[in-house]
Amino acid sequence: MGRILLIEFENDDTEAFNEIVELLNRYPGFEHLRLKAEQPLCLPGIEIYPAQRKIYRDRREIHLTAKEYDLLCLLAANKGKVLTYEQLYKSVWGEEPMGNEHNAIGCHIRNLRDKLHEAAPDTPFTIRCVREVGYTFEITEESTS
């Protein structure tokens, strides 16, 4: 039975990857499995890589907690739609809300906004609160120069 070798490379490891592929190509019995490159979710100013659970601004990673990341992805995937506190809590926390979801979500959204603003203050999007309902991810019009 053959062995499966999985190696994860960083973006700057292209040279090492090419050397390994060249070495493996010398063995005709080696079975090649190719993975399709993951397409990022591109938003104005940031890129989200779901399989890696990473977010970048100009090739620099924006470090988020797991909850912040999940909230951003959920809101971005539903951009323009208002997601209720209950929907957000059920999706991100994975449990039924018990009455404190407004505060928990609000705290994480505030931290998320701060981190996004620090990394990318000029991005044309916002996470807007819809009072007493929930949050929505909105892309504002880009300014034309």
Side-chain angles (χ1 to χ4, degrees), residues 41-48 72 75-82 116 122-128 135-143:
L41 173 58
C42 295
L43 300 167
I46 61 172
E47 294 177 337
I48 301 172
L72 176 61
L75 288 165
N78 291 282
K79 65 183 171 218
K81 297 178 185 173
V82 176
L116 291 173
D122 58 343
T123 54
F125 64 79
T126 185
I127 299 172
R128 184 174 62 84
Y135 289 90
T136 183
F137 186 93
E138 295 179 340
I139 297 180
T140 57
E141 292 192 33
E142 295 184 49
S143 61

Side-chain angles (χ1 to χ4, degrees), residues 21-44:
V21 169
E22 184 180 318
L23 176 67
L24 294 174
N25 284 333
R26 294 182 192 160
Y27 296 92
F30 191 82
E31 184 178 346
H32 295 270
L33 299 176
R34 300 207 185 268
L35 299 176
K36 192 184 334 180
E38 172 191 20
Q39 294 298 316
L41 173 58
C42 295
L43 300 167

Side-chain angles (χ1 to χ4, degrees), residues 62-65 67-69 71-72 75 85 88 93 100-119 125-130 134-136:
I62 301 171
H63 297 281
L64 302 177
T65 66
K67 298 284 191 235
E68 292 164 354
Y69 174 87
L71 282 166
L72 176 61
L75 288 165
Y85 288 103
L88 291 166
W93 276 259
N100 63 345
E101 63 273 9
H102 288 66
N103 291 336
I105 294 169
C107 180
H108 284 85
I109 292 286
R110 185 172 36 261
N111 292 337
L112 174 59
R113 284 175 175 155
D114 289 345
K115 289 177 182 180
L116 291 173
H117 181 74
E118 182 180 323
F125 64 79
T126 185
I127 299 172
R128 184 174 62 84
C129 177
V130 178
Y135 289 90
T136 183

